Amino acid sequence: MAVVLAIIAVVVFLAVIILASSIRVLREYERGVIFRLGRLIAQKGPGLIFLIPIIDRMVRVDLRTVTLNIPPQEVITRDNVTARVNAVAYFRVIDPNKAIVEVENFLVATSQIAQTTLRSVLGTADLDSLLSERERLNQSLQAIIDDQTEPWGVKVTTVEIKDVEIPAQMQRAMARQAEAERERRAKIINAEGEYQAAQRLYEAAEIISRNPATLQLRYLQTLLELGSSQASTIVFPLPIDLLKPLLEATKLDGTERRPPPVQVGDGDGDGEPGLEAGAGARALTAHADDPSDRGDMNAVEAQVERAKAHHERAEAELPE
């Protein structure tokens, strides 16, 4: 009787072990791919799953989004600049059967295809595009990787470029370029300000020119501002209108009185009178106040020229 009870206890114990091995509990984010005698039969879950002991085998698949850190990759851009780029990819399994049957390890496969695609896509872009057009490159990476992982039941939702490392020499060159660009913008802004100021001054001049009294008011305001200044040097503007009478008084209109030439003899036979050296200056002093000496300027100048010519001939005829 004791032997029978022992056998029954062993059978019950084995039955409990077999029953326990045939029961599986899957969480909400898990699915079970069932193989019966090595053949795919179904996808089950979540909840309580019953398997045939020894015959059925289940593989758990996580459906949550996986964060894949793509290791830094050495990239040579299209303009022959070496850069070190790393990225991050987000993907999840949408078909557990394909993820288990079509690829040995979908995590490793997705990581390798992401690294290869990162090098190939960034190698076709310029350095400027790599730094300023990351959104477009991210979309291109996501589309290419997702297209290649779709047969594995894997959906790549996002790919983001994290960091771009470039050589120090290139960083200095880019810094100089940025500085030159800022100087260019500063010069353009300064020139634009000068242009706008010139326009405002032109408009102000147009308004002031309509009423000259406004210029006098502006002049008085300027004097008031100079008076309140603590500077040791004061610039006092003098209106040009005060100098107009003096300038007009000094103008020569060609009708000023000039002394006539002084005749010193009957000539040397050609009928032309001569001039005594220094007589013009004396005559200018003697006849400065004589109103009768005003004459035709053209005739006087012609007579002076003839006298000069006669004097030059006389000097040429003198003996050595």
Side-chain angles (χ1 to χ4, degrees), residues 33-36 38-43 97-98 101:
V33 179
I34 309 301
F35 292 91
R36 180 166 296 170
R39 187 179 182 86
L40 178 65
I41 59 171
Q43 169 189 326
N97 291 339
K98 290 183 178 181
V101 176

Side-chain angles (χ1 to χ4, degrees), residues 1 26 33 51 83 85 87 89 92 94 118-119 164-165 208 221 257 280 302 305 310:
M1 187 65 181
L26 297 179
V33 179
L51 303 175
V85 184
R92 62 186 180 89
I94 59 176
L118 181 66
R119 287 194 298 267
V164 178
E165 299 178 4
I208 292 176
Q221 183 180 1
R257 291 177 298 172
E305 292 296 329
H310 173 73

Side-chain angles (χ1 to χ4, degrees), residues 17-36:
I17 293 176
I18 292 173
L19 183 61
S21 63
S22 64
I23 297 175
R24 298 288 188 275
V25 178
L26 297 179
R27 298 179 178 87
E28 183 65 31
Y29 55 84
E30 292 180 336
R31 298 295 183 271
V33 179
I34 309 301
F35 292 91
R36 180 166 296 170

Side-chain angles (χ1 to χ4, degrees), residues 10-319:
V10 171
V11 172
V12 172
F13 180 74
L14 293 177
V16 172
I17 293 176
I18 292 173
L19 183 61
S21 63
S22 64
I23 297 175
R24 298 288 188 275
V25 178
L26 297 179
R27 298 179 178 87
E28 183 65 31
Y29 55 84
E30 292 180 336
R31 298 295 183 271
V33 179
I34 309 301
F35 292 91
R36 180 166 296 170
L37 297 177
R39 187 179 182 86
L40 178 65
I41 59 171
Q43 169 189 326
K44 296 183 179 181
L48 187 63
I49 306 299
F50 293 95
L51 303 175
I52 300 175
I54 305 174
I55 297 176
D56 292 345
R57 186 177 67 88
M58 185 186 71
V59 179
R60 295 174 183 264
V61 179
D62 196 333
L63 301 184
R64 292 177 295 181
T65 300
V66 179
T67 302
L68 176 63
N69 186 21
I70 303 176
Q73 304 295 313
E74 294 289 343
V75 178
I76 299 179
T77 61
R78 188 170 61 180
D79 50 353
N80 297 325
V81 177
T82 303
R84 187 178 176 87
V85 184
N86 61 344
V88 60
Y90 300 90
F91 69 92
R92 62 186 180 89
V93 177
I94 59 176
D95 191 343
N97 291 339
K98 290 183 178 181
I100 297 301
V101 176
E102 297 295 336
V103 63
E104 179 182 3
N105 190 331
F106 64 89
L107 290 173
V108 177
T110 304
S111 176
Q112 293 298 321
I113 200 67
Q115 296 177 33
T116 305
T117 306
L118 181 66
R119 287 194 298 267
S120 61
V121 171
L122 298 185
T124 60
D126 298 332
L127 180 60
D128 293 339
S129 301
L130 183 59
L131 297 176
S132 61
E133 300 180 5
R134 290 194 180 184
E135 187 65 27
R136 179 181 62 83
L137 294 175
N138 292 336
Q139 294 177 359
S140 178
L141 287 170
Q142 184 269 333
I144 295 174
I145 297 175
D146 181 55
D147 184 66
Q148 293 176 340
T149 58
E150 183 180 3
W152 306 337
V154 176
K155 173 64 177 177
V156 179
T157 57
T158 307
V159 178
E160 293 287 342
I161 298 175
K162 293 174 60 177
D163 188 21
V164 178
E165 299 178 4
I166 58 177
Q169 183 178 3
M170 182 59 63
Q171 293 180 9
R172 291 192 294 270
M174 294 176 64
R176 291 195 298 269
Q177 179 182 2
E179 184 179 0
E181 179 66 20
R182 287 192 295 269
E183 290 180 357
R184 183 185 68 87
R185 293 177 184 175
K187 291 180 180 179
I188 292 176
I189 293 174
N190 188 20
E192 187 68 23
E194 293 290 341
Y195 176 74
Q196 294 178 2
Q199 284 185 329
R200 295 301 182 184
L201 290 175
Y202 174 77
E203 295 174 359
E206 288 289 332
I207 296 174
I208 292 176
S209 63
R210 298 172 188 170
N211 189 358
T214 57
L215 184 60
Q216 185 67 20
L217 293 177
R218 180 59 182 167
Y219 171 68
L220 296 177
Q221 183 180 1
T222 303
L223 292 180
L224 180 62
E225 293 176 356
L226 292 175
S228 62
S229 176
Q230 301 297 328
S232 59
T233 301
I234 297 178
V235 179
F236 186 80
L238 182 64
I240 196 66
D241 296 338
L242 299 179
L243 302 178
K244 279 186 177 180
L246 299 177
L247 296 176
E248 293 177 354
T250 57
K251 286 183 180 179
L252 298 178
D253 55 359
T255 61
E256 290 75 10
R257 291 177 298 172
R258 295 189 180 182
V262 179
Q263 184 174 355
V264 297
D266 295 335
D268 54 355
D270 53 0
E272 295 181 356
L275 290 178
E276 182 180 355
R282 293 192 300 269
L284 178 60
T285 304
H287 300 280
D289 297 329
D290 190 2
S292 63
D293 291 335
R294 186 183 303 270
D296 190 0
M297 292 301 301
N298 294 330
V300 171
E301 292 176 356
Q303 188 176 2
V304 170
E305 292 296 329
R306 287 194 299 271
K308 286 182 178 181
H310 173 73
H311 184 69
E312 291 175 355
R313 288 196 299 271
E315 288 181 350
E317 292 175 357
L318 292 175

